[in-house]
Amino acid sequence: MTRQPASSDTIFGRILRGELPCDQVYADDLCLAFRDVQPQAPVHVLVIPREPIAQLADAGPEHQELLGHLLLVAAQVARQEGLSDWRTVINSGAEAGQTVFHLHVHVIGGRALAWPPG
Ligand code: AMP
């Protein structure tokens, strides 16, 4: 099995360390939210924890509060962006479409969204 890089080595780790710019929409002690560089809808924001967790599959009971916080921030960001309806997505693993191995919650909205995903 191919080992994924430690999430601090990812592009999101570099954003968290201030080494790469981002279009920030929210930040607190636990997480950061910024616009996706390749938006799939009029609103496409990523909410990432400051703690380097590679993917949801790696989260444990010790992350319960943090995961709840990320979802509440996702909802807050959606409202802040003027959305009443939106989609939150967490891809876990390459086959699920994850490309950056630092846990992130997509907040996508501003247009009608089809289901099921591809
Ligand atoms: P995923 O495919 O679920 O791992 O999502 C990764 C997301 O990160 C994709 O939607 C990319 O467009 C986005 N992305 C990659 N690099 C950056 C970056 N530097 N700033 C903002 N979003 C990025």
Side-chain angles (χ1 to χ4, degrees):
M1 195 175 91
T2 313
R3 186 84 178 84
Q4 298 299 341
S7 57
S8 56
D9 294 338
T10 69
I11 206 154
F12 294 171
R14 296 184 66 197
I15 287 173
L16 282 167
R17 294 195 299 274
E19 296 166 8
L20 281 177
C22 72
D23 188 355
Q24 182 181 313
V25 297
Y26 176 87
D28 65 24
D29 289 349
L30 295 175
C31 69
L32 178 68
F34 52 90
R35 296 189 196 285
D36 197 295
V37 278
Q38 281 191 290
Q40 301 302 313
V43 175
H44 189 167
V45 171
L46 304 171
V47 183
I48 70 172
R50 294 189 185 276
E51 181 178 341
I53 303 164
Q55 58 188 102
L56 188 57
D58 294 335
E62 69 275 22
H63 297 115
Q64 183 166 320
E65 207 169 315
L66 175 61
L67 292 174
H69 183 70
L70 295 177
L71 288 181
L72 290 175
V73 168
Q76 181 180 325
V77 164
R79 284 192 296 269
Q80 188 178 304
E81 293 292 317
L83 301 176
S84 56
D85 297 3
W86 68 87
R87 184 171 295 166
T88 45
V89 173
I90 302 174
N91 296 320
S92 186
E95 205 165 317
Q98 186 173 7
T99 57
V100 179
F101 283 81
H102 183 122
L103 176 67
H104 50 281
V105 181
H106 294 259
V107 178
I108 302 166
R111 64 169 172 84
L113 298 168
W115 190 264

